[in-house]
Amino acid sequence: MNSVKLFIICCLLISMTVKGIEIVENRDIQFENSFDQSSSSAGSDSYDNIKCKGKPNPYPIFNKDPVFVASTANGKLYTTGDDSNQVSVLHLYGGAYEMGYAHGTLLKEQVNEIIPKFMEFAEIAVQQFIKTKFALRLPEFLIKLIEEFGVNAALDYVASATEQFTPKRFFNELLGLADSSGIPYQTLLRMHMFPELVKATCSIVGAWSEATINGGLLQVRALDWGLENPLVNYPTLIVYHPEENDGGEFSILSWASFIGALTGYSQRTGVCEKVWLSYNGTYTHNGMPFYFILRDILQYDNSVYEALNRIYNTPRTCAVYLGVGSNESNTASIIEVSMDVVRVFDDQTPFPGFAPPVPEHPLFKDLVYVDKHSQPSSDPCMANSLSQTWSEITAQTLINTMGEMETGDLHSAVYDFKQNLVYVSVATTNIPFPFTNTTLPLVSPAYKNQFIQFNMTKLFSEQPPPTPNNNSISSNSVNSDSDSNSISSSSSSSSSSSSSSSSSSSNNNNN
């Protein structure tokens, strides 16, 4: 961006930024939790005969072990699922920079494919978004910035506004990813600011104790972000193995190149999110992006209480609903989060907004939920489905609920805390983006596809690759594309491999 554009942007921003700081300093933070309404112990009979638009998922669970693909220093790559529903499984070890470097090394081809496609998609998606009524949630100057200078200028502004609130280890991880993949750091940073502008309409469910068949905690994350999206082709379950004394193992269901947590599980905690469309309060980007807050919850927190403490004490940006489950308490909560509000909803709290519950959203004991619509929702489907299975809820019944609700088009997940299993489905992966009028109808949403079972005990205990002694990738087949890393064939994952991944300036634990 040239100096003239920078001067104009500064003129647009300076008065708004000062005003935003004044609002933050003078607004009383609300941290509320109400228990003044009792919940029923069973579902409402009035929902028994109401039909949902969708159908239960017809497929058996795919439960084969992931297949080894390749390894490098601080990373291993596997794949799982059938030909049309494949998910990469990426194990990362070490410090932030080393993890990023291994990510970019093992998924270099995918990263170099997805980034240009996604940035083109982002330009179109944001330009369309600012023409809708929901764009009124954005500051006026940001809309003008997009209209005059394009989406990249807005993404650069968001990156600048959130930088001081974001731990440096996230930037170090992106730097490692940039160095090994060849994608410019600034481009990767812009990609990671996109969820701060355009968010997804999703569904969240938490069920435990008397609501589930075995008394354990189950949590649903259904991501509805549309199928005409390049992310469809690159789903990746990233399993993080941090250094000693830097939190615990955790996983995020993501895509090649994206390190934020929109969907994640650690057995200690599980997280998910949904856009808060009806929010009409202050909107700011002077805070930490919500998907980095969620990742810190996964890595460092052991309970809903610790997660809430983190959310409350961290400067926040946009308005979202967060779902947080905890193995420690065997409960889940849904939280309204914005710059100035933190409100907690559980099975005894009318949702949303603490008003008496609407007929389409009754309270159930040991159960919290929010569907994909703007709240309060007038769609009775989710309540109907959950009421019919209350006290006998399992991972399979929740998978069926997503199918009946038709929620979770880009990806869907169920976290089973008691069994330490995660069930994942993704949209059709073997039809290349961009789609045509002929190919788009062939792309099936995640909730209609086969779910894959992941044994998280095995994944979290996966051993790191051998100590490296050269700049190579060990794989189970010869790859003809040899860029900066030489690739050698190998029949097993135990072959020695590595990739240069050191950074003297990296400080992984620096906040």
Side-chain angles (χ1 to χ4, degrees):
M1 188 180 299
N2 60 38
S3 58
V4 175
K5 286 185 178 179
L6 281 173
F7 175 77
I8 295 172
I9 293 171
C10 289
C11 291
L12 282 168
L13 299 183
I14 193 165
S15 64
M16 297 297 295
T17 302
V18 172
K19 186 181 295 184
I21 293 172
E22 293 173 351
I23 290 172
V24 171
E25 291 178 344
N26 290 289
R27 181 177 293 271
D28 292 330
I29 298 295
Q30 302 176 47
F31 184 68
E32 305 178 28
N33 195 354
S34 173
F35 301 95
D36 57 354
Q37 297 287 329
S38 62
S39 59
S40 61
S41 62
S44 169
D45 292 338
S46 63
Y47 293 97
D48 289 347
N49 298 317
I50 296 176
K51 302 296 183 181
C52 294
K53 294 179 180 178
K55 298 179 180 179
N57 189 284
Y59 298 105
I61 301 298
F62 184 97
N63 58 9
K64 297 180 181 178
D65 288 338
V67 177
F68 173 76
V69 177
S71 66
T72 189
N74 301 298
K76 289 181 175 181
L77 178 63
Y78 293 79
T79 188
T80 189
D82 65 27
D83 292 340
S84 64
N85 196 28
Q86 286 201 336
V87 177
S88 296
V89 181
L90 180 66
H91 290 271
L92 300 176
Y93 304 82
Y97 181 89
E98 288 74 23
M99 288 179 173
Y101 201 97
H103 184 162
T105 300
L106 290 170
L107 292 179
K108 183 172 185 176
E109 181 179 353
Q110 294 93 321
V111 171
N112 278 271
E113 288 178 1
I114 191 175
I115 292 297
K117 292 179 182 179
F118 185 84
M119 296 310 296
E120 182 179 358
F121 161 81
E123 180 75 34
I124 296 171
V126 175
Q127 292 287 359
Q128 291 176 344
F129 174 75
I130 64 174
K131 297 176 183 178
T132 69
K133 64 179 181 179
F134 301 116
L136 296 176
R137 297 180 292 114
L138 295 178
E140 184 179 355
F141 80 85
L142 196 56
I143 296 176
K144 290 182 178 179
L145 192 64
I146 295 168
E147 291 174 339
E148 294 186 30
F149 301 107
V151 172
N152 281 347
L155 296 173
D156 288 343
Y157 162 73
V158 174
S160 177
T162 59
E163 180 180 8
Q164 64 176 306
F165 305 99
T166 305
K168 292 181 181 179
R169 63 188 123 80
F170 292 113
F171 302 120
N172 288 338
E173 188 174 342
L174 288 179
L175 180 61
L177 179 55
D179 287 349
S180 58
S181 69
I183 297 293
Y185 170 82
Q186 189 65 27
T187 301
L188 288 170
L189 185 60
R190 286 170 176 167
M191 187 236 197
H192 281 78
M193 297 301 108
F194 179 77
E196 282 287 310
L197 294 181
V198 179
K199 297 162 195 68
T201 58
C202 311
S203 299
I204 302 170
V205 178
W208 63 93
S209 193
E210 293 183 35
T212 61
I213 198 167
N214 66 0
L217 172 62
L218 295 167
Q219 185 174 345
V220 165
R221 195 290 188 262
L223 177 61
D224 294 291
W225 220 356
L227 295 180
E228 295 185 65
N229 185 329
L231 299 177
V232 167
N233 295 145
Y234 306 94
T236 305
L237 181 70
I238 306 178
V239 184
Y240 284 89
H241 305 264
E243 293 178 313
E244 189 174 358
N245 299 320
D246 190 26
E249 289 85 3
F250 66 97
S251 64
I252 60 173
L253 180 57
S254 186
W255 307 273
S257 77
F258 189 76
I259 67 171
L262 300 181
T263 303
Y265 173 83
S266 71
Q267 194 182 30
R268 302 177 304 279
T269 55
V271 300
C272 48
E273 63 78 37
K274 166 188 167 59
V275 63
W276 182 1
L277 286 174
S278 58
Y279 175 73
N280 60 1
T282 304
Y283 203 101
T284 180
H285 288 102
N286 296 318
M288 183 174 173
F290 71 90
Y291 37 93
F292 289 150
I293 295 176
L294 290 180
R295 222 188 92 165
D296 274 359
I297 290 173
L298 292 171
Q299 184 169 352
Y300 299 111
D301 295 341
N302 297 304
S303 66
V304 171
Y305 176 81
E306 290 181 4
L308 289 173
N309 188 58
R310 180 180 300 279
I311 293 168
Y312 178 61
N313 289 294
T314 300
R316 302 171 300 275
T317 57
C318 54
V320 291
Y321 296 113
L322 302 181
V324 179
S326 165
N327 203 29
E328 180 263 349
S329 62
N330 195 47
T331 61
S333 297
I334 294 176
I335 309 144
E336 282 184 337
V337 175
S338 69
M339 183 274 285
D340 52 355
V341 172
V342 176
R343 294 194 183 105
V344 184
F345 298 90
D346 59 15
D347 62 328
Q348 301 182 56
T349 311
F351 178 90
F354 302 103
V358 296
E360 294 83 5
H361 198 123
L363 296 174
F364 302 129
K365 189 175 188 296
D366 301 332
L367 182 67
V368 292
Y369 63 102
V370 56
D371 69 21
K372 66 181 180 179
H373 305 298
S374 179
Q375 301 301 309
S377 172
S378 60
D379 187 345
C381 174
M382 180 168 281
N384 175 43
S385 180
L386 293 171
S387 71
Q388 292 177 352
T389 56
W390 188 92
S391 81
E392 297 182 346
I393 292 176
T394 65
Q396 184 62 61
T397 68
L398 291 174
I399 289 170
N400 289 339
T401 293
M402 285 187 275
E404 292 165 351
M405 183 72 204
E406 295 188 334
T407 186
D409 56 12
L410 191 54
H411 73 223
S412 303
V414 179
Y415 317 146
D416 184 335
F417 285 78
K418 188 169 186 176
Q419 303 296 326
N420 204 19
L421 301 173
V422 170
Y423 300 86
V424 165
S425 183
V426 297
T428 305
T429 58
N430 63 346
I431 298 175
F433 183 89
F435 307 125
T436 66
N437 291 336
T438 301
T439 61
L440 181 58
L442 303 177
V443 181
S444 178
Y447 59 79
K448 285 187 176 181
N449 293 338
Q450 185 176 39
F451 276 72
I452 303 165
Q453 176 183 287
F454 290 98
N455 184 326
M456 303 309 293
T457 300
K458 287 185 177 180
L459 293 185
F460 290 147
S461 61
E462 178 80 16
Q463 294 301 301
T467 303
N469 56 20
N470 54 51
N471 292 331
S472 66
I473 297 177
S474 173
S475 65
N476 61 3
S477 63
V478 176
N479 188 327
S480 60
D481 296 326
S482 57
D483 297 315
S484 59
N485 297 287
S486 61
I487 301 175
S488 58
S489 62
S490 173
S491 60
S492 74
S493 62
S494 62
S495 299
S496 177
S497 62
S498 75
S499 167
S500 175
S501 57
S502 61
S503 173
S504 60
S505 63
S506 174
N507 184 356
N508 301 321
N509 297 313
N510 192 346
N511 288 328

